[in-house]
Each structure stands twice: as structure tokens, then as C-alpha cells.
Amino acid sequence: MSRAASIKDVANHAQVAVGTVSNVLNNPDRVSKRTKDRVLQAIDELGFVRNDAARQLRAGHSRTIGVVVLDVGNPFFTSLVRAAEDAAAVNGSAVLLGDSGHDANRESHYIDLFQEQRVQGLLISPVGDVADRLEALRQRGVPTVLVDRLADEDRFSSVSVDDDAGGYLAARHLLDLGRRKLAFVGGPLSIRQVSDRLLGARRAVAEVDGAALEVLDSDGQSVLAGRGVGNSLVERGAGNMPDGIFCANDLLALGVMQSLTMMNGVRIPDDVALIGYDDIDFAVSAVVPLSSIRQPTDAIGRTAIELLTEELDAQHARHRAVVFTPELVVRQSTAGAAAPH
Amino acid sequence: MSRAASIKDVANHAQVAVGTVSNVLNNPDRVSKRTKDRVLQAIDELGFVRNDAARQLRAGHSRTIGVVVLDVGNPFFTSLVRAAEDAAAVNGSAVLLGDSGHDANRESHYIDLFQEQRVQGLLISPVGDVADRLEALRQRGVPTVLVDRLADEDRFSSVSVDDDAGGYLAARHLLDLGRRKLAFVGGPLSIRQVSDRLLGARRAVAEVDGAALEVLDSDGQSVLAGRGVGNSLVERGAGNMPDGIFCANDLLALGVMQSLTMMNGVRIPDDVALIGYDDIDFAVSAVVPLSSIRQPTDAIGRTAIELLTEELDAQHARHRAVVFTPELVVRQSTAGAAAPH
DNA sequence: CTCCGCCTTTGAATCGTTTCATTGGTACGA
DNA sequence: TCGTACCAATGAAACGATTCAAAGGCGGAG
């Protein structure tokens, strides 16, 4: 109803100057206990809440960091954002979250919004081609850290995960189980993350004599796509089936699993060992709990904020590209040592 | 580097008064084309971006709406937030998103933050007991709409979904298929949404002669909990099994499905018809595509913004509680008409 | 008693935008 | 030619918090 109380109202009510109220809030030790108590009581009685706009106007910058992710529904990003929030809170910053939903327009919209809000910096997993905009922003003192994408170090800092290493890890694990006829399921290969994982897998296979890797291009990354691939494998007959399958993501792996085990009686891991990627929540609760490659989302979020803070503190800090190595999570779908037969 | 350009810089550069620049931005038709062009060019050359803090300070309120959800990872909320964002954009408002993660502290933190930001209003699916805080906020002209929770209409507007109706819908569907020995899987019953769904199911069962409903309290709402329930059902032997199962959420249903079909050869829907709740993405890609109850998330988000706008426009608007009716989605897990044998 | 230094408190200036009363100019009718 | 009406443009005031130079008050030393 009535306009919210301002610092001036508090000052009147407590019979002090506005500067004193401000000091109570920002430099409590400069104020005597007596006065402080009176001011705090006035704040309480009036229900005063700082107006962040005024604060920020005076300060010239906000205490917020803008984060734009591809998809908040994706647990990878949810967890990353949470970690970033916590890390930012340590510096007294809050996070403004934007979900681009893989849409370049939405992404651009959020960058506009955050720029108007005068965010201190930006964390972004870009969809569109925003390098030039971000560079312009940086030159005005608003640094950006790219997330889940390796950046040209000349332009930006970035935090990403080594998909090649992840692919290697997965394939190597299958090979270590004694499997030799491997298949890679994923697609489209134009997606960098998919092709990198394949590259890593190839590297592992090349290290082992007599090992082979065939590539099964899936139509998309969904459970259904995985089931499609599974069905076409079954059609080949038992003799021509791979004994180890690495899927570029867990959804595909779950689809393959459904197709092989439920409709077609193939045993996992006995006949075919199966491993996915991302370690989504469902991986652990699949019919046969799914082995997977886990990305260190917490560390990514934390590190992203760290890099951002570095650039905030020293405007001319060198950009850094931090690459994390993913981690193998072994579950039942690749458990049990030996090769089939 | 250099401080961001202000409206005053633009005014100098374009040789006009600051008020004119402001008019170009906010009342373009009050400005002659000649002047407007000059100003726009200056804006472009200086890369001027409005400072929202100053704007908001002058206006006395922001153009943002705070949204606090229980879990951004939950597709229900993701979709709801997206709809709310779009609806808010129509009014020229942006959304600030906070994820309480079922944690009362985080929730409280976001309310603080949003209050400092002077949001116009709040959408919240509350965890803790925040009614009094929200009421205080409302009295200062910041209305709140509760989401996914039926509110006391004397205090707040709310948008929710009729869980009783959803439960009725699910059970009625099983009964319509000719099933008579029904089971409800869910828990803990202390969660309102679970108990309401059960209530609705009971109502449906009471309408049909010879129909029975047994309640299987699950330990949690996860796939694993569902599998546990499924296993204990199997132990009873085929004769004592229900012929229709309604799970209080899709995860439970997926667990039950895994247990029955994969490990124990029970056929779905032939031996047992199965229906879940929420219609999560995985429902459609389960081994046997899962029938479910879908909540109209888009409509909920849109309506929530609508109610909020009503309260913003007319401070004394009566509060309204809008209750949506969920929708039955039939898939293979309850397809095929007849009762077994 | 006076002076000095220290601690507390004061209040004006400032940030960037919007608003609005006012001014300056032009065109048109009388 | 003068007056009126209208349109464009002006620029000072206001929003609320922070900052900082300056003033005020107090105690202790000389």
C-alpha cells in the first residue's frame, strides 16, 4: 500500500542522519552500540529493506552474475548452476539464471537483459554466435566465462570437460573387460561433444590388438533412438553382435538396453557390456544399473566462478581454459570380468 | 574498461538534452524524425545500454517478477517457468528464477533477494511456512500467487491442480478397462498431493460394484522404491496380484514396471494394467509406454501470471484460487480393452 | 583551564534515468 | 501584423543508497 520505507524514513524514525543508517548496514563498527541498536530497532519497526537499485546505481555495478544455460531441465546444468550459486555467494554475489533452451533468440534476449542489469560478469554455454557481443562486453569490463565449451584462450576463459578423455575412458573400460568387438552409438556426429567422445574411443581401440570399433549413427539422442539402434542390432542375429557398446549419452544407452534385454533376451552384461555417458539419475535405476561417465559438475560450476572472479579482480588477467577430466562410474551393466562365452 | 556510456554521454554526443534521449527511448513519437535519428546514431556509436538500476530507482519498482520453485530440475516446474516467462514478457516483465530445492533456507534467501530487487510480484511454490512474510509483502504492494498449492483464498491467490480429480481419472480409467482388483502405490501419505490422489482413486472405486483398492505404501517416490513394491507384489504369486495398478508418480510406475516385466515375466497391460502420474518425458519411452496423468503446466504458468497481473492492476482485487483439472494420457501400459481372462 | 586527538555523527554530493513544467519556434487564422 | 495553438526540445528535480569531508563531543594530558 504505502510506499516502502527508505533509509531516510529509518533515519527520521531513529533520530539520526541517513549516513549513520548506511553505516549501520555497511560499516557496523563505526557506529556506537547505542545508536546501532536504535537504528536496528527502527529498521525492524518499519520493515525496511534495502533498495538494491539505488545501491547499485551508486556503486556503478551490481552484485549479480548472469548465467545462461542451454537447458535448466538438464541435470548437468542444474547441478552446475547450483554449484555456481554457492561459489558466488561466498563473494557476496547472487546469480541471475537464464535458460536459453538451445534458442539463439532467447540467449540473446538474456544477454540484453543482463547487460541492462549491469551484471558483474557472465557465465554462458553459448548456442548462437555470440563471441563478438561477449568480446564487446568484456571490453567494457564485464568478463565472460564459457562453460561446457572449450574457448579460444585469446578471447575468453572457459571451463569444459574433456570429451575425448571420456570416450577413451569408456572404451578402455570395455576393452579391459576383455571385449573386442565394440560399437559406438551416437549422433549426429556434427555435434562436437559426440565426435570427441568417438575420437577418444577410437584412440583406446587403436591401443589394443584385435580390437575393432564400429560406429552406429543414431538418429538423435533419445531413448527411442537408442531403441531403434538396439533393434537393428538384434536383427543381425547373435553372431554379428558387438560384445561391448558405448553410447554417447545415457538416454541412448537406456534405449539400447530396453531393446536388447526386454524384447530380445540378450543378457547384459554377459552377452553385451553396455556403458553410457553423463551419469543421469536414471542410470542408477535402470533395469540393469548402467555404467556411465560422470562429469564433475560441481567442480565446473565452482571453477567457472573462480575464473570469472580472477578476471574481475584483474581486468588484464590472462584468460585460462580449464579442462576437466570425467570419471568412470562402474555399475552392473559392465560388471563381471570375463568376455562372453 | 572505461565506464559505460550514460544517457548524458549520448545527449552530448548527439547535441541534444538528456530528456530528449529519454523520450527517444520511451516516447518515440514525441520526437521529430531528424532528432530521433541523430540520437539513435549516437546510441549506436557509443554502444549505450540503459542502466536498469537507475530506471528502476526512478520508477519506484522493477519490471521483474520473482519465481521461486521447488526444483528446477523437475520438468513440471521447468515447463511452468517457461510459460510464466512468456506470459510475463507480454507485459514487458522479466522473470527472476530461484530454485529452493525443497530447502526453506534457500527459499527464504530468495524472498530476501527478490524483495531487495523490488520485484513487482512473486510466484512461489512454498516449502517452509512463509505465509506471514508473504502477507507482509502483499501489504506493501507486492502481491504473491501460490503455485501448485491451494491457498486460503482470504490471503492469497493460487493456481493448483486438482489431485483428487487426477486420482479419480486414473482409477476410473483402470475400472473402465474392466479391472477390479486395484492397487494404489505411493507414499508417504503425509504428502498432500499423494493423499489427494489416493482420495480420488477411492472415490472412483466406490462407484463400481465389486471393485477393491488396496494401498501399498512405498518408501519414497523413486524408481527404486517402485521396484521394491513390484518385487513384493511378485512374491505373492500370480493369483494374489492386482490387475490394475495406479502409482502416485511416474517414477514409481517405472520401477514397478521394471520389476514386473523384466525380472518376473508379468505382462503389461495383459496381466496388469499400469498407470502413473505427471507424464514425465520418460513415460513415453519406457519399455511399455506408460499411461499417465498430465498436468497442464503451460496453463498453470500463464494463469499464475494472469492472477498476479490482476492483483497488480487492482490492489484490492479479490484473491482467486484457480484449480486445473489434469488430463488422462493413455498409452500402451493400459491399452487393449478387456480384463485378464 | 586549554588543547589535542580520537571516535561518532552529520549531511551534501553523487550515481543514471524519468518526468514535467517551461521555453523556443513555427504555422495558421484573423 | 499580431495572436493563438501546437509541436519539439529543454533541463532541473526526484528516486534511495553510499561516500566522505567536516563538524561535534569527549576524555586525557599538559
Side-chain angles (χ1 to χ4, degrees):
Chain A
M1 220 72 307
S2 56
R3 168 185 121 281
S6 78
I7 211 175
K8 200 183 273 178
D9 299 324
V10 174
N12 288 337
H13 196 261
Q15 310 262 46
V16 297
V18 290
T20 304
V21 178
S22 175
N23 277 333
V24 169
L25 296 170
N26 303 301
N27 308 87
D29 25 337
R30 283 196 207 152
V31 184
S32 72
K33 175 150 177 24
R34 235 182 89 72
T35 313
K36 195 176 349 186
D37 287 348
R38 237 187 22 253
V39 170
L40 289 175
Q41 192 188 343
I43 287 179
D44 200 45
E45 285 176 19
L46 298 178
F48 165 79
V49 176
R50 263 205 197 74
N51 182 326
D52 198 60
R55 209 174 183 210
Q56 181 177 141
L57 173 58
R58 176 65 228 241
H61 63 90
S62 71
R63 289 158 21 265
T64 51
I65 290 169
V67 177
V68 186
V69 300
L70 287 176
D71 175 13
V72 280
N74 184 326
F76 173 78
F77 287 114
T78 314
S79 157
L80 188 155
V81 169
R82 180 98 25 117
E85 274 185 329
D86 292 344
V90 174
N91 305 326
S93 295
V95 158
L96 295 183
L97 178 58
D99 177 9
S100 70
H102 295 271
D103 176 342
N105 287 328
R106 289 182 78 95
E107 172 177 63
S108 175
H109 168 76
Y110 275 115
I111 298 179
D112 287 344
L113 188 66
F114 290 162
Q115 199 175 352
E116 290 193 3
Q117 305 272 352
R118 297 288 191 274
V119 294
Q120 298 176 283
L122 224 49
L123 254 50
I124 184 169
S125 58
V127 199
D129 184 12
V130 285
D132 290 342
R133 286 196 65 182
L134 297 179
E135 176 125 23
L137 264 174
R138 201 201 56 209
Q139 272 166 2
R140 297 140 156 281
V142 183
T144 296
V145 171
L146 302 186
V147 169
D148 195 31
R149 165 159 308 194
L150 188 61
D152 182 349
E153 274 185 62
D154 293 342
R155 307 187 73 183
F156 303 104
S157 285
S158 66
V159 185
S160 57
V161 181
D162 188 341
D163 284 295
D164 179 275
Y168 179 87
L169 217 53
R172 184 78 226 178
H173 175 56
L174 295 174
L175 294 165
D176 286 347
L177 293 172
R179 312 294 164 129
R180 290 294 177 268
K181 289 170 60 181
L182 303 193
F184 173 87
V185 179
L189 292 171
S190 55
I191 296 180
R192 168 79 80 92
Q193 267 114 350
V194 175
S195 59
D196 278 1
R197 288 168 197 180
L198 172 55
L199 235 56
R202 283 222 164 92
R203 203 152 51 78
V205 170
E207 292 177 359
V208 175
D209 276 350
L213 178 72
E214 78 174 306
V215 176
L216 302 171
D217 203 333
S218 68
D219 184 22
Q221 312 248 47
S222 63
V223 175
L224 288 178
R227 211 180 303 162
V229 172
N231 289 338
S232 66
L233 275 177
V234 170
E235 281 170 17
R236 298 184 180 180
N240 294 315
M241 214 175 285
D243 56 12
I245 301 181
F246 166 36
C247 296
N249 98 11
D250 284 345
L251 297 178
L252 286 170
L254 292 175
V256 169
M257 182 185 294
Q258 285 177 2
S259 165
L260 297 189
T261 65
M262 322 226 24
M263 346 263 213
N264 302 294
V266 177
R267 291 168 306 160
I268 292 177
D270 310 285
D271 301 329
V272 180
L274 180 65
I275 185 168
Y277 207 107
D278 282 348
D279 195 29
I280 64 176
D281 284 348
F282 271 93
V284 65
S285 50
V287 193
V288 181
L290 181 68
S291 297
S292 192
I293 303 292
R294 177 189 297 160
Q295 318 204 44
T297 49
D298 281 16
I300 295 174
R302 228 178 307 120
T303 307
I305 293 291
E306 224 166 78
L307 292 183
L308 197 63
T309 310
E310 271 180 23
E311 303 216 4
L312 282 171
D313 290 347
Q315 288 288 342
H316 296 290
R318 281 253 299 298
H319 303 307
R320 293 204 290 146
V322 175
V323 177
F324 280 94
T325 303
E327 183 189 348
L328 174 67
V329 180
V330 178
R331 299 205 180 84
Q332 204 181 317
S333 75
T334 61
H341 331 287
Chain B
M1 220 74 310
S2 56
R3 170 185 120 280
S6 77
I7 212 175
K8 199 184 274 178
D9 300 324
V10 174
N12 288 337
H13 197 262
Q15 309 262 44
V16 297
V18 291
T20 304
V21 178
S22 175
N23 277 331
V24 168
L25 296 170
N26 303 301
N27 307 88
D29 24 338
R30 283 195 207 156
V31 185
S32 72
K33 175 151 176 23
R34 233 181 90 72
T35 313
K36 193 173 357 184
D37 287 348
R38 239 188 21 253
V39 170
L40 289 175
Q41 193 188 342
I43 287 179
D44 200 45
E45 285 176 19
L46 298 179
F48 166 79
V49 176
R50 264 204 197 75
N51 183 326
D52 199 59
R55 202 173 189 212
Q56 182 177 142
L57 173 59
R58 175 64 229 239
H61 63 90
S62 71
R63 290 158 20 266
T64 50
I65 291 169
V67 178
V68 186
V69 300
L70 287 176
D71 175 12
V72 280
N74 184 326
F76 173 78
F77 287 114
T78 314
S79 157
L80 188 155
V81 169
R82 181 97 26 117
E85 273 185 331
D86 292 344
V90 173
N91 305 326
S93 295
V95 158
L96 294 183
L97 178 59
D99 178 10
S100 71
H102 295 271
D103 176 342
N105 287 328
R106 289 182 77 96
E107 171 176 63
S108 175
H109 168 77
Y110 276 115
I111 298 178
D112 288 343
L113 188 67
F114 290 162
Q115 199 175 352
E116 289 194 3
Q117 305 273 352
R118 297 289 191 272
V119 295
Q120 298 175 283
L122 223 48
L123 253 52
I124 184 170
S125 58
V127 199
D129 185 12
V130 285
D132 290 342
R133 286 196 65 181
L134 297 179
E135 177 124 23
L137 264 175
R138 200 201 57 210
Q139 273 167 1
R140 296 139 157 279
V142 183
T144 295
V145 171
L146 301 187
V147 169
D148 196 31
R149 166 159 307 194
L150 189 61
D152 182 348
E153 274 184 63
D154 293 342
R155 307 188 74 184
F156 303 103
S157 284
S158 66
V159 185
S160 56
V161 181
D162 187 341
D163 283 295
D164 178 276
Y168 178 87
L169 217 53
R172 183 78 227 178
H173 174 57
L174 294 174
L175 294 164
D176 286 347
L177 293 172
R179 312 294 165 128
R180 289 294 177 269
K181 290 170 60 183
L182 302 192
F184 173 87
V185 178
L189 291 172
S190 56
I191 295 179
R192 167 78 81 92
Q193 268 115 350
V194 175
S195 60
D196 278 1
R197 289 167 197 182
L198 172 57
L199 235 58
R202 284 222 164 91
R203 203 153 48 79
V205 169
E207 291 177 359
V208 175
D209 277 350
L213 178 73
E214 78 175 304
V215 175
L216 303 172
D217 202 332
S218 68
D219 183 21
Q221 311 247 47
S222 63
V223 175
L224 288 177
R227 213 182 300 163
V229 172
N231 289 338
S232 65
L233 277 176
V234 169
E235 281 170 19
R236 298 183 181 180
N240 294 314
M241 213 175 286
D243 54 13
I245 302 181
F246 166 36
C247 296
N249 96 14
D250 284 345
L251 297 178
L252 285 169
L254 292 176
V256 169
M257 182 185 295
Q258 285 178 3
S259 165
L260 297 188
T261 66
M262 321 228 25
M263 345 264 214
N264 302 293
V266 177
R267 290 168 306 159
I268 292 177
D270 310 287
D271 301 330
V272 180
L274 180 66
I275 184 167
Y277 207 107
D278 283 347
D279 195 29
I280 64 176
D281 285 346
F282 270 92
V284 66
S285 50
V287 192
V288 181
L290 181 69
S291 297
S292 193
I293 303 292
R294 177 189 297 159
Q295 319 203 44
T297 49
D298 281 17
I300 295 173
R302 230 179 307 119
T303 307
I305 294 291
E306 225 166 77
L307 292 184
L308 197 64
T309 310
E310 271 180 22
E311 302 216 5
L312 282 171
D313 290 347
Q315 288 289 342
H316 294 291
R318 280 253 299 298
H319 303 306
R320 294 203 289 145
V322 175
V323 178
F324 280 95
T325 304
E327 182 189 349
L328 174 67
V329 180
V330 178
R331 299 206 180 83
Q332 205 181 317
S333 75
T334 61
H341 322 289

